[in-house]
Structures are given as structure tokens and as C-alpha cells.
Amino acid sequence: MPILQPAVMTAVVRRLAQALALSAVWAAASVLPAQPSGSAKPKTTTPPPPPTPTQTQTQKLPDFTKAPTTFEGIFAERESRAVNVLGYLRCLEATVNALRAGALGAVERGWSLTCIKQNNEWRGIFGELTDTPPGIRVKVQFALRNPGPTPNSRRGIVVRDPVDTVLASGMARALLRGLSATTPGNGLGQFVPVTLTQKKFIEVWFVPSANTPERAVIGGDSLIQLTSDGMRELGHTASSPKMRVVSIPVGGSTYTLESSEVSAPLLTELMLAHLAIDVLPEVRVRTREYDAILTRSTRKWTFVKR
């Protein structure tokens, strides 16, 4: 089953939104109730409640590493998230496509859908959430491992390989929290929650995913941070960058995106750059201080001080 190519993400997210809604319905029937609806607006983190008999040991706040302060450090953090967000979206889309094609067999109500990255491989997972460790019974795995038609694409196959069930449980529960939140958008585009795992916590990003290199919504980058088991919310972003629609004709040899940032580009701007590099041989993202240049031949970034 070929995964959708990065340059054709418009149709992806229309179907992806349906898949996420389907995931929420199925997950609601599991033993773990979805958290109450909330918004992705800033809020103060409250102390966790005492553990109940059915809970595992209460998670401590994550050991946050010092945030990078240099341009290169900030860029690397955002670039890594942009690549993983696109990987997650492609994994989820490929898994839903495989389900609809009948490649995954029978998927029952009460099973939750998520995607995780394990050993540099994306896997779509259907599983049944439980109230006992590790928190999920994995039912079906769809691994994206065989090379596809483009450097960033993979073909998926059903596998029974060992999988990190603790990670899968945390990511599935974090996705439930994202699905219950009020997402940004204001009619500009479809925003969807994407779960990313960090060293000791999980991030739920809300990103516009009906983007193409020709027309895209950027900005609005917003996130919720949760404990690594996906059970307890740690906080929200304090603010999010203003959303805007960009229309850039695709022609010639270079795709140039004017960033709204002073130094390092936004997560959503870097996502757009990776969509564009499969269409044109060179992409430039221009902030006020730097030109960040990505070439298709090397898939590496170089930087020029402006």
C-alpha cells in the first residue's frame, strides 16, 4: 500500500480528519474515558490529584532540558518536530487507507488508533486501551518500512514485530486529549492534533494539514504537554504565532517562503518547506536574520546570515 506523497497533502487531511474523528468514537468505547473538552489556550498547570487504586505511580514533572538559545539550536528543535509531524500524518493516512482497503482485517469498536516512531520506523497501531499496565493491548500494526516512490515515502505492511506498548498507550491517550480540545483555525484550514514523544513527556501539536506548496496556512503553532503516559496535562503554550495564508506559485527552480519570524522559522513554515522540496530542487525560508536553504539533492539545510 503506497503512502501518499508529501506534495499531495490536501486530500490527506480531509480524510485524516475523518480518521481522527473515527478514532475518537472508537476510543470513547474503551475503558479509558476521554478527558473533558478543553481549549488549546494558555492555562496554569495545577498539581496532580492523589493516585487512585487503579492508577499507576503518579508521574513526576518531566526533567526539562535547557531550551536552546542559539539560532542553530532552535532551528534544529523545530526542524526535528516538523519532520516528525509530517511523518506522523503520513503514517496515520497510510494506516487508514490500509484499513479501508481491507488490508488490516477486522477492526473492532473500542480500539484506538495512533502512530508511533520506533527505531526510526513509523507504525500505525490499532489497540484496546486497558486500565492495567502497560495500558494497551496492541491488535494490529501497520509498519511503513519498504521504500516508496519518493525519498520521504514508505510502503506499509502488516507486522507482528515487538512494539513499545507503553509508548503506544501514552500516545493513544495523548491523542484522545488532543481530540477533545478546541483547536485553532478560525476557518483558515483544518487543524488536527499530532502526538510527538519527547524524552520524558508527550507533546500534542495542533497543525494545519490541508496544505500544499501552492497554498498553505502557517502559524497558529499550538501545543499541549502531557506526562509520558498521556494521563496528566502539564500545560499549554503561552502564546501562538498569528495565522496567515500564503500563496506561492510553484515554478522555476527555487521555492521561497518569507517567514514571519526574526530568526528561526516556525514549525509550520518548516513543514511547508518539506512539502515543497519534493516539487522543486531548492527551498529557501527567509527570516529577517537568515536564509535557510534546503536542497533536494542533499536533503540538508544550509544557512546564510542576511
Side-chain angles (χ1 to χ4, degrees):
M1 169 82 47
I3 184 171
L4 197 68
Q5 296 184 20
V8 210
M9 291 291 285
T10 304
V12 166
V13 186
R14 290 197 183 96
R15 296 195 299 272
L16 177 59
Q18 299 171 358
L20 289 170
L22 180 64
S23 174
V25 171
W26 284 341
S30 73
V31 297
L32 177 70
Q35 298 185 34
S37 297
S39 72
K41 296 179 181 178
K43 79 170 192 176
T44 303
T45 302
T46 55
T52 65
T54 59
Q55 285 180 318
T56 55
Q57 182 178 0
T58 304
Q59 293 265 349
K60 295 181 179 179
L61 287 173
D63 180 20
F64 291 102
T65 56
K66 186 177 179 181
T69 56
T70 65
F71 164 77
E72 290 81 3
I74 296 171
F75 188 98
E77 289 282 326
R78 293 182 183 175
E79 160 73 358
S80 132
R81 283 166 172 78
V83 170
N84 283 329
V85 166
L86 289 173
Y88 182 99
L89 291 174
R90 291 164 185 153
C91 169
L92 201 56
E93 172 68 9
T95 305
V96 171
N97 281 345
L99 172 66
R100 289 175 175 164
L104 306 186
V107 173
E108 299 179 10
R109 294 181 64 85
W111 293 4
S112 294
L113 168 62
T114 190
C115 278
I116 68 171
K117 191 177 184 181
Q118 177 172 289
N119 299 326
N120 207 32
E121 173 184 274
W122 283 101
R123 293 193 195 178
I125 292 176
F126 279 101
E128 183 181 8
L129 295 176
T130 69
D131 58 359
T132 56
I136 193 172
R137 282 191 289 268
V138 173
K139 300 293 187 177
V140 180
Q141 296 183 65
F142 190 68
L144 306 184
R145 64 175 50 156
N146 297 326
T150 69
N152 283 340
S153 68
R154 295 288 185 270
R155 297 185 186 276
I157 57 173
V158 176
V159 298
R160 296 182 179 274
D161 299 353
V163 67
D164 187 337
T165 49
V166 173
L167 174 61
S169 171
M171 295 287 271
R173 293 163 196 266
L175 181 58
L176 283 179
R177 177 62 188 100
L179 288 164
S180 73
T182 301
T183 59
N186 297 333
L188 292 177
Q190 178 66 53
F191 275 64
V192 295
V194 170
T195 55
L196 299 181
T197 180
Q198 303 302 330
K199 185 177 180 181
K200 293 188 178 179
F201 58 98
I202 292 176
E203 296 175 341
V204 180
W205 284 91
F206 298 92
V207 298
S209 37
N211 282 352
T212 66
E214 294 87 353
R215 187 181 187 279
V217 177
I218 54 179
D221 308 31
S222 178
L223 70 87
I224 300 172
Q225 287 183 330
L226 299 103
T227 49
S228 58
D229 60 3
M231 296 286 285
R232 182 163 56 86
E233 196 169 306
L234 301 174
H236 296 259
T237 46
S239 61
S240 59
K242 184 178 179 180
M243 286 178 288
R244 60 194 177 104
V245 177
V246 296
S247 297
I248 303 174
V250 175
S253 60
T254 301
Y255 180 94
T256 302
L257 171 62
E258 296 290 341
S259 171
S260 61
E261 296 298 282
V262 173
S263 182
L266 298 173
L267 167 82
T268 45
E269 291 172 341
L270 292 173
M271 288 174 60
L272 182 56
H274 280 280
L275 294 180
I277 199 62
D278 284 310
V279 179
L280 294 170
E282 181 181 274
V283 172
R284 289 176 177 256
V285 183
R286 309 190 71 190
T287 63
R288 295 180 202 172
E289 295 181 350
Y290 290 91
D291 275 3
I293 306 165
L294 178 65
T295 57
R296 192 193 301 168
S297 59
T298 64
R299 301 276 167 169
K300 305 266 184 203
W301 288 95
T302 57
F303 309 107
V304 177
K305 183 82 167 154
R306 299 185 64 184

